Amino acid sequence: MAVRRRTELLFAIGLVPLVLTLLVLQALDRYDFSRRQVGVYLEEPPDEPGVIRVSQIVPGFPSDLAGVKPGDLLKTLNGVPLKSSSEMDAITEAGHGTVVYGVVRNGKHLDLVVHPGAPFPYFAFAVNVLVALGYLAIGPLALAKRPGYLRARLLSIFTAAVAIEIALPEIRDTVSLLLPLSLLNNGFQMGTHLHLASVLPERQGWVRRRPWVIPLFYVIGLGTFGTVAAAFVAERFGWQAPQRLSGNTLFQWLGWVVLPAWALGALVLLARQARIYPEAKGRQQASLVAAGLLPWTILVGLSQTKVLDAWVPMHWQDVIWNFTLLIFPLAVVIILVREARSQERILLSLTDEVQRVTSVGEVSRIVSIDLHEAFHPKSTHVFYRQRHSRDLTLGHSTGVAPREEQIPENSVLLRLVEAYGKAVDYPEDLAGLPPSEREWLDRLEARLIVPLTGRDHRLLGLLILGEKKSEEPYSEHDRALLQALTNQIALVYENARLKDSVEQSAKVQREVLARLGDKQLQLVHECPKCGRCYDASEEVCPVDRNELQPSIPVERVIMGRYRLDRRLERGGMGAIFEARDLHLGRAVAVKVLHGALIGEEVTKRFEIEARLTASLHHPNVVTVFDYGTTGTGNSFLVMELLHGFTLMAAIRDERTVPPATVARWLDQVCEGIKAAHRAGIIHRDLKPANIFVTRVDAPEGYKEGPVKILDFGVAKVRSAARAATQGLTAPGALVGTFNYMAPEQLSGGEVDERSDVFALGVLAVESLTGDRPFAGTNPGVILTSIAAAPFHLDGALAGGERLEAVLAKCLAHDPAQRFASVAALQAELIPALRELAAAETAQPAVS
C-alpha cells in the first residue's frame, strides 16, 4: 500500500517537468507564429461545400488593419484559389512577407494586402501556464488528502491529461502528429471523466452489477477519438478519403455528437446520484460535483450554435474552455478535502467520547456508529475479551450480522492478528486461516481487521470492518487513524476491566467474609492470561508475569484435599479447574459454583447432577469422584480430568464431520445414554458442547480415546419416588438448550427417552452438515419449523436415503412416531452412517 502511494505521488510530481517542457515548446511556437499571425478565423459551413468564410477578426491584428471583415468569403491567397482553410494556413505560414487576400464582399471582389506579424500574446500564454499548472497541482493535492482512494487517483489522472493537452504547442496543421496525440488524449479524458462521475460518491449500483461498464467508457472514448486520429494519420501518408470519412468531417462529428454526449452522460450520472443516493451527505456531494460540471456542459451545448462565437472572441474561447472545465475537478477536490477533515474530526471527537465512557458495551456501540460515518464500511463488528473468558465476544455490529457471536481463544485468526500487531487486510494477509474461519470472515464480508492491543501488548479485542461502500481500499492514512483509535479503545477497555475487577473483588470479599465469620481461609488467585492458580499471598504469575486476580471465592485447597492448579473454563455460574487430589496423587477436574451468587435452585440442580452422574458407572459417561460444599459455601464436584475436544469444537473447526467418524462417536454416545436410561435418567440437554472426545497417550503420540457424555445438570429421573426425593424440576418448566429440544420439551410437556432420541437426531444432522435441522431463536419459532414439514437430509450427502429415513424418524414431531428407545435408534442409525461412509469412500473409484 505504501509503495503504491509513493508511486502515485511520484507519477503526479514527475509530470511537472513534462508539462513545463511542453509549455516552453508552446512559448517558442507562439513566438514563431506571432511573427506570421494575421488574426483571422475561418469556417467551412458543412451545408456550403467549397465555401471558406471569415468568422472572426482579432481587433488590432494585421487582418483587421488590412480591412478584412467577418462574413467575407475568402477565394484566393496571393492569387492562388483556395479549396480549404488548411491550404490558407500552409501558404500564410510558409513565409513572413506580404499576403494578398482575394475576398468577395456583397458580391464584389476585393484584394486586401495583409502584413503578417503581431505582438507575442503574453497574457494568453500566462493564462495557459497558470491553468496547466493549476490542473497539474490538483492531482498531488487529491492524493495527499485521500491517499489510496480511487476517486483521488482518477482525478489526478484526469487533471494530468488535461494539463498535458493545455501545454501542447498550438495545433494549426491538421496533418501534424500533434493532432492525433491530442485526440487520443481527449479520448482517454472522456473515459476517465465518465469513470470518475460513476464513482461519486461511490460506485453506482447498476455499474457495480455490470463490471463491463467502466471498461466500456474507455473503449468508447479511445475508440471514437482514436478513429478520427487514425483518419488524420492516414491522410498524412497519402490516403484519399471520401468526404464523409475525411479527418475534418469526422472531427466535426466529434464536436456535434460525441462531445455533447460525453458532457451530458457525466452530468446524468451525477444527477442520478444526487437524486436517489440513500444518504444525505452523498446526495450533497453528487449535487456539488454536478453543479461544477454544469457550466462546461452548457458551454459544450453553446459551442454547437453561433451563440458562443457571437458572444466570445475566438482568441478567448480556449481560455474560457479550460477555466470552465477546471470547476469540475475543483468540486471533486473540495469533496475529498471535506471528507478528510470530516473523517479526522469524527475520529478525534470519537476518541474524546470514548475516553468519557466507562462501559465496554457502550464503547462498542459508539465506535460502530462513528466509524460508519467516517469510513462508510458496509459492516462494522467490535469484538472484545470478556473478564471471565479468553474468547472474544461481539460487542456491537452493523451491517452483516455474524452467525457466531464469539471468536474462540484457540482461533488461528487471533494468533495471526496478534502476531502482526497491526491492521491486516483480509484475505491477502491471512492466507494461513483454516477454511472454517475463512468462511466465517467471508460471511462478515471482512476486509480490514484492526487489533485492540493492551499496554502489555496482549490482544484485547478486534475491530472487523467490511469493504467500503465506495469499494476503495483502506489507505495507510486510514490504518493509522484506526490504529490510534483502537489504542484509545483498548485503554478504556483496560480501565473498565480494572474498575470492574476492583468492584467485583470487593463485593466477593465482603460476601465471603460475611459468610466465613471468624474463619481464616486462603482464597485462590489466578493469572488472567494462563489461568494458573496460586495462594492469595502471591501477587504475580511467575510464568507470564501477569498480575494475579481473585478468582471465584473459594479456598485454594478444598476440604484439605483438592488443590486448584489451573482454571480451565469460566461461565456465568462458576468455573472448572484442573486440580490435584493430594490424597490419591492424581489429576482431577473440579467444578465449582459461585455459591450464594447463583441461587438455591441452581445449587440444588448442581447437587442433583453430582448424585446422578456419580450413580452412573459407564466408560462413556464422565466419572464423578466426589462432591460437596467448600469452606466458603460453594458447591463443588470432582470429576475425572479429560483431555481432548468437544463435538462443538470439531463442528466449528471442520464445519462437517465425516460419516465414519460420526458413526464411531455417536455409537459410544448411544451406549452412554442407554446406561442412563436403564438407570431411569433422561439427560434432556444433549448438545455438541456436552459430547467430549478424549485423547489418550500412546507410543506414537496421542490417539482417540472414549467419547464421554457431560453435564447431567438438567437430567430428569423417571422413577417417581426418586424424583420426589431429589426435588427435580416440576412439569411445565423449560430447561435445556432450545435448538436441541424435542417439541414436547419446548412446549413444557412431559419428556421421556424419546426426547433424548430427538436430540441425538439433531446431533447427527449438525455433525454431518454443519447446520442444525431446525432454525430459530426461540421455542415458538423452532416448534413451527419442526411442525412445518418432514425432515429432509442435505442433497450433498449422496446415497444417504437410508440415513435420511432414520433421521426423519428421530426428528418426528410426534414422539409416538420416533424410535421407542435409544437402542432401537442405535440399531438403525449407526449402520446407516457406516453405509454412507462406505458409499463416499467408493465414490472416487466409480467416477
Side-chain angles (χ1 to χ4, degrees), residues 184-238:
L184 289 174
N185 184 311
N186 273 273
F188 182 70
Q189 286 179 44
M190 178 179 175
T192 310
H193 195 180
L194 293 173
H195 189 175
L196 184 56
S198 69
V199 296
L200 284 164
E202 66 178 76
R203 190 150 63 123
Q204 299 188 23
W206 69 275
V207 176
R208 187 181 297 110
R209 293 188 296 270
R210 300 169 179 82
W212 48 267
V213 170
I214 298 298
L216 184 63
F217 290 156
Y218 292 92
V219 170
I220 293 174
L222 290 171
T224 53
F225 283 87
T227 300
V228 181
F232 280 123
V233 171
E235 288 175 2
R236 184 182 183 193
F237 288 98

Short mmCIF file of all heavy atoms in Angstrom, two decimals, residues 184-238:
data_model
loop_
_atom_site.label_atom_id
_atom_site.label_comp_id
_atom_site.label_asym_id
_atom_site.label_seq_id
_atom_site.Cartn_x
_atom_site.Cartn_y
_atom_site.Cartn_z
N LEU A 184 -6.16 11.37 -29.02
CA LEU A 184 -6.11 10.20 -28.15
C LEU A 184 -6.16 10.62 -26.68
O LEU A 184 -6.79 9.96 -25.85
CB LEU A 184 -4.84 9.39 -28.43
CG LEU A 184 -4.82 8.65 -29.77
CD1 LEU A 184 -3.46 8.01 -30.00
CD2 LEU A 184 -5.91 7.59 -29.81
N ASN A 185 -5.49 11.72 -26.37
CA ASN A 185 -5.54 12.26 -25.01
C ASN A 185 -6.98 12.60 -24.64
O ASN A 185 -7.44 12.32 -23.54
CB ASN A 185 -4.64 13.49 -24.93
CG ASN A 185 -4.55 14.06 -23.51
OD1 ASN A 185 -5.53 14.27 -22.83
ND2 ASN A 185 -3.34 14.33 -23.08
N ASN A 186 -7.71 13.22 -25.58
CA ASN A 186 -9.11 13.56 -25.33
C ASN A 186 -9.96 12.31 -25.10
O ASN A 186 -10.86 12.31 -24.25
CB ASN A 186 -9.66 14.35 -26.51
CG ASN A 186 -9.39 15.83 -26.37
OD1 ASN A 186 -10.16 16.57 -25.77
ND2 ASN A 186 -8.27 16.28 -26.92
N GLY A 187 -9.70 11.27 -25.88
CA GLY A 187 -10.45 10.02 -25.70
C GLY A 187 -10.21 9.42 -24.33
O GLY A 187 -11.15 8.91 -23.68
N PHE A 188 -8.96 9.47 -23.85
CA PHE A 188 -8.64 8.96 -22.52
C PHE A 188 -9.31 9.82 -21.45
O PHE A 188 -9.82 9.30 -20.45
CB PHE A 188 -7.13 8.94 -22.32
CG PHE A 188 -6.70 8.39 -21.00
CD1 PHE A 188 -6.84 7.04 -20.72
CD2 PHE A 188 -6.18 9.22 -20.02
CE1 PHE A 188 -6.46 6.53 -19.49
CE2 PHE A 188 -5.80 8.72 -18.80
CZ PHE A 188 -5.94 7.37 -18.53
N GLN A 189 -9.33 11.14 -21.67
CA GLN A 189 -10.02 12.04 -20.74
C GLN A 189 -11.50 11.67 -20.63
O GLN A 189 -12.08 11.68 -19.54
CB GLN A 189 -9.90 13.49 -21.21
CG GLN A 189 -8.54 14.12 -21.02
CD GLN A 189 -8.53 15.54 -21.56
OE1 GLN A 189 -9.46 16.30 -21.33
NE2 GLN A 189 -7.48 15.88 -22.29
N MET A 190 -12.11 11.35 -21.75
CA MET A 190 -13.53 11.01 -21.76
C MET A 190 -13.79 9.79 -20.88
O MET A 190 -14.70 9.78 -20.03
CB MET A 190 -13.99 10.74 -23.18
CG MET A 190 -15.45 10.33 -23.29
SD MET A 190 -15.93 10.04 -25.01
CE MET A 190 -17.61 9.45 -24.81
N GLY A 191 -12.99 8.73 -21.06
CA GLY A 191 -13.17 7.52 -20.26
C GLY A 191 -12.96 7.79 -18.78
O GLY A 191 -13.75 7.35 -17.93
N THR A 192 -11.90 8.55 -18.44
CA THR A 192 -11.60 8.84 -17.04
C THR A 192 -12.69 9.72 -16.43
O THR A 192 -13.09 9.53 -15.27
CB THR A 192 -10.24 9.54 -16.93
OG1 THR A 192 -9.26 8.80 -17.65
CG2 THR A 192 -9.80 9.64 -15.48
N HIS A 193 -13.17 10.69 -17.21
CA HIS A 193 -14.21 11.60 -16.74
C HIS A 193 -15.49 10.83 -16.39
O HIS A 193 -16.07 11.01 -15.30
CB HIS A 193 -14.48 12.63 -17.85
CG HIS A 193 -15.26 13.81 -17.38
ND1 HIS A 193 -15.59 14.85 -18.22
CD2 HIS A 193 -15.78 14.13 -16.18
CE1 HIS A 193 -16.28 15.75 -17.54
NE2 HIS A 193 -16.41 15.33 -16.31
N LEU A 194 -15.93 9.96 -17.28
CA LEU A 194 -17.14 9.18 -17.03
C LEU A 194 -16.93 8.20 -15.87
O LEU A 194 -17.83 7.96 -15.06
CB LEU A 194 -17.55 8.43 -18.29
CG LEU A 194 -18.02 9.32 -19.46
CD1 LEU A 194 -18.23 8.47 -20.71
CD2 LEU A 194 -19.30 10.05 -19.10
N HIS A 195 -15.74 7.61 -15.81
CA HIS A 195 -15.40 6.69 -14.71
C HIS A 195 -15.51 7.43 -13.37
O HIS A 195 -16.13 6.93 -12.42
CB HIS A 195 -13.98 6.15 -14.91
CG HIS A 195 -13.61 5.06 -13.96
ND1 HIS A 195 -12.42 4.38 -14.04
CD2 HIS A 195 -14.27 4.52 -12.89
CE1 HIS A 195 -12.37 3.49 -13.07
NE2 HIS A 195 -13.48 3.55 -12.36
N LEU A 196 -14.93 8.62 -13.29
CA LEU A 196 -14.97 9.40 -12.07
C LEU A 196 -16.40 9.78 -11.70
O LEU A 196 -16.81 9.71 -10.53
CB LEU A 196 -14.11 10.65 -12.24
CG LEU A 196 -13.94 11.57 -11.01
CD1 LEU A 196 -13.39 10.80 -9.83
CD2 LEU A 196 -13.02 12.74 -11.36
N ALA A 197 -17.20 10.17 -12.69
CA ALA A 197 -18.59 10.55 -12.41
C ALA A 197 -19.40 9.37 -11.91
O ALA A 197 -20.36 9.54 -11.15
CB ALA A 197 -19.23 11.13 -13.68
N SER A 198 -19.02 8.14 -12.29
CA SER A 198 -19.79 6.96 -11.90
C SER A 198 -19.43 6.45 -10.51
O SER A 198 -20.09 5.55 -10.00
CB SER A 198 -19.58 5.83 -12.92
OG SER A 198 -18.26 5.32 -12.85
N VAL A 199 -18.37 6.98 -9.89
CA VAL A 199 -17.97 6.52 -8.55
C VAL A 199 -18.13 7.63 -7.52
O VAL A 199 -17.54 7.57 -6.43
CB VAL A 199 -16.52 5.99 -8.54
CG1 VAL A 199 -16.39 4.78 -9.43
CG2 VAL A 199 -15.53 7.07 -8.97
N LEU A 200 -18.89 8.65 -7.84
CA LEU A 200 -19.16 9.73 -6.90
C LEU A 200 -20.63 9.66 -6.44
O LEU A 200 -21.52 9.69 -7.31
CB LEU A 200 -18.88 11.10 -7.55
CG LEU A 200 -17.41 11.49 -7.69
CD1 LEU A 200 -17.25 12.63 -8.66
CD2 LEU A 200 -16.84 11.88 -6.33
N PRO A 201 -20.90 9.59 -5.14
CA PRO A 201 -19.95 9.47 -4.03
C PRO A 201 -19.39 8.06 -3.88
O PRO A 201 -18.42 7.85 -3.18
CB PRO A 201 -20.79 9.85 -2.82
CG PRO A 201 -22.18 9.46 -3.20
CD PRO A 201 -22.30 9.73 -4.66
N GLU A 202 -20.02 7.07 -4.53
CA GLU A 202 -19.50 5.71 -4.58
C GLU A 202 -19.98 5.07 -5.88
O GLU A 202 -20.81 5.63 -6.58
CB GLU A 202 -19.98 4.88 -3.39
CG GLU A 202 -21.48 4.63 -3.39
CD GLU A 202 -21.92 3.77 -2.21
OE1 GLU A 202 -21.99 4.27 -1.09
OE2 GLU A 202 -22.19 2.58 -2.47
N ARG A 203 -19.42 3.91 -6.21
CA ARG A 203 -19.77 3.27 -7.47
C ARG A 203 -21.26 2.94 -7.48
O ARG A 203 -21.77 2.30 -6.57
CB ARG A 203 -18.96 2.00 -7.68
CG ARG A 203 -19.11 1.43 -9.08
CD ARG A 203 -17.87 0.69 -9.52
NE ARG A 203 -17.60 -0.46 -8.70
CZ ARG A 203 -17.49 -1.70 -9.18
NH1 ARG A 203 -17.64 -1.93 -10.46
NH2 ARG A 203 -17.21 -2.70 -8.39
N GLN A 204 -21.94 3.40 -8.51
CA GLN A 204 -23.39 3.23 -8.58
C GLN A 204 -23.76 1.76 -8.71
O GLN A 204 -23.01 0.97 -9.29
CB GLN A 204 -23.95 4.05 -9.75
CG GLN A 204 -23.66 5.55 -9.61
CD GLN A 204 -24.38 6.37 -10.65
OE1 GLN A 204 -25.38 5.95 -11.21
NE2 GLN A 204 -23.86 7.56 -10.90
N GLY A 205 -24.94 1.43 -8.16
CA GLY A 205 -25.36 0.03 -8.12
C GLY A 205 -25.43 -0.62 -9.48
O GLY A 205 -24.97 -1.75 -9.66
N TRP A 206 -26.00 0.07 -10.45
CA TRP A 206 -26.13 -0.55 -11.78
C TRP A 206 -24.77 -0.75 -12.42
O TRP A 206 -24.58 -1.69 -13.20
CB TRP A 206 -27.02 0.31 -12.67
CG TRP A 206 -26.42 1.63 -13.08
CD1 TRP A 206 -26.44 2.78 -12.38
CD2 TRP A 206 -25.69 1.90 -14.28
NE1 TRP A 206 -25.78 3.78 -13.05
CE2 TRP A 206 -25.32 3.26 -14.23
CE3 TRP A 206 -25.34 1.14 -15.39
CZ2 TRP A 206 -24.59 3.87 -15.25
CZ3 TRP A 206 -24.62 1.74 -16.41
CH2 TRP A 206 -24.25 3.09 -16.33
N VAL A 207 -23.80 0.10 -12.08
CA VAL A 207 -22.43 -0.09 -12.58
C VAL A 207 -21.77 -1.26 -11.87
O VAL A 207 -21.05 -2.06 -12.49
CB VAL A 207 -21.60 1.20 -12.39
CG1 VAL A 207 -20.16 0.99 -12.82
CG2 VAL A 207 -22.22 2.36 -13.16
N ARG A 208 -22.02 -1.40 -10.55
CA ARG A 208 -21.42 -2.49 -9.79
C ARG A 208 -21.91 -3.84 -10.30
O ARG A 208 -21.17 -4.81 -10.34
CB ARG A 208 -21.76 -2.32 -8.31
CG ARG A 208 -21.05 -3.30 -7.39
CD ARG A 208 -21.45 -3.10 -5.94
NE ARG A 208 -21.06 -1.80 -5.45
CZ ARG A 208 -21.92 -0.82 -5.17
NH1 ARG A 208 -23.22 -1.02 -5.30
NH2 ARG A 208 -21.51 0.33 -4.71
N ARG A 209 -23.18 -3.88 -10.70
CA ARG A 209 -23.74 -5.14 -11.20
C ARG A 209 -23.29 -5.46 -12.61
O ARG A 209 -23.45 -6.59 -13.07
CB ARG A 209 -25.27 -5.09 -11.14
CG ARG A 209 -25.84 -5.04 -9.73
CD ARG A 209 -27.35 -5.18 -9.74
NE ARG A 209 -28.01 -4.08 -10.43
CZ ARG A 209 -28.40 -2.96 -9.83
NH1 ARG A 209 -28.15 -2.79 -8.53
NH2 ARG A 209 -29.00 -2.00 -10.51
N ARG A 210 -22.73 -4.47 -13.31
CA ARG A 210 -22.26 -4.67 -14.69
C ARG A 210 -20.81 -4.21 -14.78
O ARG A 210 -20.52 -3.08 -15.20
CB ARG A 210 -23.14 -3.86 -15.66
CG ARG A 210 -24.62 -4.28 -15.63
CD ARG A 210 -25.47 -3.28 -16.39
NE ARG A 210 -26.89 -3.66 -16.40
CZ ARG A 210 -27.73 -3.40 -15.40
NH1 ARG A 210 -27.30 -2.75 -14.31
NH2 ARG A 210 -29.00 -3.77 -15.47
N PRO A 211 -19.88 -5.06 -14.41
CA PRO A 211 -18.46 -4.64 -14.36
C PRO A 211 -17.89 -4.24 -15.71
O PRO A 211 -16.83 -3.62 -15.77
CB PRO A 211 -17.75 -5.87 -13.79
CG PRO A 211 -18.70 -7.01 -13.96
CD PRO A 211 -20.07 -6.44 -13.95
N TRP A 212 -18.59 -4.55 -16.79
CA TRP A 212 -18.08 -4.20 -18.12
C TRP A 212 -18.35 -2.74 -18.46
O TRP A 212 -17.82 -2.24 -19.47
CB TRP A 212 -18.74 -5.09 -19.19
CG TRP A 212 -20.23 -5.21 -19.08
CD1 TRP A 212 -20.92 -6.17 -18.41
CD2 TRP A 212 -21.22 -4.30 -19.59
NE1 TRP A 212 -22.27 -5.96 -18.49
CE2 TRP A 212 -22.50 -4.80 -19.22
CE3 TRP A 212 -21.17 -3.13 -20.34
CZ2 TRP A 212 -23.68 -4.18 -19.56
CZ3 TRP A 212 -22.36 -2.50 -20.68
CH2 TRP A 212 -23.58 -3.01 -20.30
N VAL A 213 -19.15 -2.03 -17.65
CA VAL A 213 -19.50 -0.65 -17.98
C VAL A 213 -18.28 0.26 -17.94
O VAL A 213 -18.07 1.08 -18.84
CB VAL A 213 -20.60 -0.13 -17.03
CG1 VAL A 213 -20.80 1.38 -17.20
CG2 VAL A 213 -21.91 -0.86 -17.30
N ILE A 214 -17.45 0.13 -16.89
CA ILE A 214 -16.29 1.02 -16.75
C ILE A 214 -15.32 0.84 -17.92
O ILE A 214 -14.92 1.84 -18.55
CB ILE A 214 -15.57 0.76 -15.41
CG1 ILE A 214 -16.50 1.08 -14.24
CG2 ILE A 214 -14.30 1.59 -15.32
CD1 ILE A 214 -16.96 2.51 -14.17
N PRO A 215 -14.92 -0.39 -18.28
CA PRO A 215 -14.07 -0.53 -19.48
C PRO A 215 -14.74 0.04 -20.74
O PRO A 215 -14.06 0.56 -21.63
CB PRO A 215 -13.86 -2.05 -19.59
CG PRO A 215 -14.07 -2.56 -18.22
CD PRO A 215 -15.10 -1.68 -17.60
N LEU A 216 -16.08 -0.06 -20.81
CA LEU A 216 -16.78 0.46 -21.97
C LEU A 216 -16.59 1.97 -22.12
O LEU A 216 -16.49 2.48 -23.24
CB LEU A 216 -18.27 0.12 -21.87
CG LEU A 216 -19.14 0.53 -23.07
CD1 LEU A 216 -18.71 -0.23 -24.33
CD2 LEU A 216 -20.61 0.25 -22.78
N PHE A 217 -16.55 2.70 -21.00
CA PHE A 217 -16.30 4.14 -21.06
C PHE A 217 -15.00 4.43 -21.81
O PHE A 217 -14.94 5.33 -22.66
CB PHE A 217 -16.22 4.73 -19.65
CG PHE A 217 -17.52 4.76 -18.90
CD1 PHE A 217 -17.56 4.78 -17.52
CD2 PHE A 217 -18.73 4.77 -19.59
CE1 PHE A 217 -18.76 4.81 -16.82
CE2 PHE A 217 -19.95 4.79 -18.91
CZ PHE A 217 -19.95 4.80 -17.53
N TYR A 218 -13.95 3.69 -21.47
CA TYR A 218 -12.65 3.93 -22.10
C TYR A 218 -12.65 3.46 -23.55
O TYR A 218 -12.02 4.10 -24.42
CB TYR A 218 -11.55 3.21 -21.31
CG TYR A 218 -11.31 3.81 -19.94
CD1 TYR A 218 -11.99 3.33 -18.82
CD2 TYR A 218 -10.43 4.88 -19.77
CE1 TYR A 218 -11.79 3.89 -17.57
CE2 TYR A 218 -10.21 5.43 -18.52
CZ TYR A 218 -10.90 4.94 -17.42
OH TYR A 218 -10.70 5.49 -16.19
N VAL A 219 -13.33 2.36 -23.81
CA VAL A 219 -13.41 1.87 -25.20
C VAL A 219 -14.10 2.90 -26.09
O VAL A 219 -13.64 3.20 -27.20
CB VAL A 219 -14.15 0.51 -25.25
CG1 VAL A 219 -14.45 0.12 -26.69
CG2 VAL A 219 -13.31 -0.57 -24.57
N ILE A 220 -15.20 3.46 -25.61
CA ILE A 220 -15.93 4.46 -26.40
C ILE A 220 -15.07 5.71 -26.60
O ILE A 220 -14.95 6.23 -27.71
CB ILE A 220 -17.26 4.82 -25.72
CG1 ILE A 220 -18.22 3.62 -25.73
CG2 ILE A 220 -17.92 6.01 -26.40
CD1 ILE A 220 -19.50 3.84 -24.95
N GLY A 221 -14.45 6.18 -25.50
CA GLY A 221 -13.64 7.39 -25.60
C GLY A 221 -12.46 7.23 -26.54
O GLY A 221 -12.28 8.00 -27.48
N LEU A 222 -11.66 6.20 -26.29
CA LEU A 222 -10.48 5.99 -27.15
C LEU A 222 -10.89 5.55 -28.54
O LEU A 222 -10.21 5.89 -29.53
CB LEU A 222 -9.57 4.94 -26.50
CG LEU A 222 -8.86 5.39 -25.21
CD1 LEU A 222 -8.16 4.21 -24.54
CD2 LEU A 222 -7.85 6.49 -25.52
N GLY A 223 -12.00 4.80 -28.65
CA GLY A 223 -12.43 4.33 -29.96
C GLY A 223 -12.88 5.47 -30.86
O GLY A 223 -12.47 5.57 -32.03
N THR A 224 -13.73 6.38 -30.35
CA THR A 224 -14.24 7.48 -31.19
C THR A 224 -13.15 8.48 -31.53
O THR A 224 -12.95 8.83 -32.70
CB THR A 224 -15.40 8.19 -30.47
OG1 THR A 224 -14.97 8.57 -29.15
CG2 THR A 224 -16.59 7.29 -30.35
N PHE A 225 -12.42 8.94 -30.52
CA PHE A 225 -11.36 9.91 -30.78
C PHE A 225 -10.21 9.27 -31.55
O PHE A 225 -9.57 9.92 -32.38
CB PHE A 225 -10.86 10.52 -29.47
CG PHE A 225 -11.78 11.55 -28.90
CD1 PHE A 225 -12.82 11.19 -28.06
CD2 PHE A 225 -11.61 12.90 -29.20
CE1 PHE A 225 -13.68 12.14 -27.52
CE2 PHE A 225 -12.46 13.86 -28.67
CZ PHE A 225 -13.50 13.48 -27.83
N GLY A 226 -9.95 7.98 -31.27
CA GLY A 226 -8.88 7.28 -31.98
C GLY A 226 -9.21 7.11 -33.45
O GLY A 226 -8.30 7.14 -34.31
N THR A 227 -10.49 6.91 -33.79
CA THR A 227 -10.89 6.79 -35.20
C THR A 227 -10.59 8.07 -35.97
O THR A 227 -10.06 8.04 -37.10
CB THR A 227 -12.40 6.47 -35.29
OG1 THR A 227 -12.66 5.25 -34.61
CG2 THR A 227 -12.84 6.37 -36.74
N VAL A 228 -10.88 9.21 -35.38
CA VAL A 228 -10.59 10.50 -36.03
C VAL A 228 -9.08 10.68 -36.16
O VAL A 228 -8.58 11.13 -37.21
CB VAL A 228 -11.21 11.65 -35.22
CG1 VAL A 228 -10.93 12.99 -35.90
CG2 VAL A 228 -12.70 11.44 -35.07
N ALA A 229 -8.34 10.33 -35.10
CA ALA A 229 -6.88 10.44 -35.17
C ALA A 229 -6.32 9.57 -36.28
O ALA A 229 -5.42 9.98 -37.03
CB ALA A 229 -6.28 10.04 -33.82
N ALA A 230 -6.85 8.36 -36.42
CA ALA A 230 -6.38 7.45 -37.47
C ALA A 230 -6.65 8.02 -38.86
O ALA A 230 -5.83 7.87 -39.78
CB ALA A 230 -7.05 6.09 -37.31
N ALA A 231 -7.80 8.69 -39.01
CA ALA A 231 -8.13 9.31 -40.32
C ALA A 231 -7.12 10.39 -40.68
O ALA A 231 -6.64 10.47 -41.83
CB ALA A 231 -9.54 9.88 -40.28
N PHE A 232 -6.74 11.23 -39.73
CA PHE A 232 -5.74 12.28 -39.99
C PHE A 232 -4.37 11.69 -40.31
O PHE A 232 -3.68 12.15 -41.21
CB PHE A 232 -5.63 13.21 -38.78
CG PHE A 232 -6.72 14.25 -38.71
CD1 PHE A 232 -7.54 14.34 -37.60
CD2 PHE A 232 -6.92 15.14 -39.76
CE1 PHE A 232 -8.54 15.29 -37.52
CE2 PHE A 232 -7.93 16.10 -39.69
CZ PHE A 232 -8.74 16.18 -38.57
N VAL A 233 -3.99 10.63 -39.58
CA VAL A 233 -2.70 9.99 -39.86
C VAL A 233 -2.71 9.37 -41.25
O VAL A 233 -1.73 9.49 -42.01
CB VAL A 233 -2.40 8.92 -38.78
CG1 VAL A 233 -1.18 8.08 -39.18
CG2 VAL A 233 -2.17 9.57 -37.43
N ALA A 234 -3.79 8.71 -41.61
CA ALA A 234 -3.89 8.09 -42.95
C ALA A 234 -3.79 9.15 -44.04
O ALA A 234 -3.13 8.94 -45.08
CB ALA A 234 -5.20 7.32 -43.06
N GLU A 235 -4.46 10.29 -43.84
CA GLU A 235 -4.39 11.36 -44.84
C GLU A 235 -2.99 11.92 -44.98
O GLU A 235 -2.55 12.29 -46.07
CB GLU A 235 -5.38 12.48 -44.46
CG GLU A 235 -6.84 12.08 -44.67
CD GLU A 235 -7.79 13.16 -44.17
OE1 GLU A 235 -7.29 14.21 -43.70
OE2 GLU A 235 -9.02 12.96 -44.25
N ARG A 236 -2.27 11.97 -43.87
CA ARG A 236 -0.90 12.48 -43.94
C ARG A 236 -0.02 11.59 -44.80
O ARG A 236 0.90 12.06 -45.46
CB ARG A 236 -0.32 12.59 -42.53
CG ARG A 236 1.08 13.21 -42.54
CD ARG A 236 1.69 13.28 -41.18
NE ARG A 236 2.99 13.95 -41.27
CZ ARG A 236 3.88 13.96 -40.31
NH1 ARG A 236 3.64 13.31 -39.20
NH2 ARG A 236 5.02 14.59 -40.45
N PHE A 237 -0.31 10.29 -44.78
CA PHE A 237 0.51 9.35 -45.56
C PHE A 237 -0.11 9.07 -46.93
O PHE A 237 0.19 8.05 -47.55
CB PHE A 237 0.70 8.05 -44.78
CG PHE A 237 1.64 8.20 -43.61
CD1 PHE A 237 1.14 8.38 -42.32
CD2 PHE A 237 3.01 8.17 -43.80
CE1 PHE A 237 1.99 8.53 -41.25
CE2 PHE A 237 3.87 8.32 -42.72
CZ PHE A 237 3.38 8.50 -41.44
N GLY A 238 -0.99 9.97 -47.40
CA GLY A 238 -1.45 9.91 -48.78
C GLY A 238 -2.78 9.24 -49.03
O GLY A 238 -3.20 9.12 -50.19
#
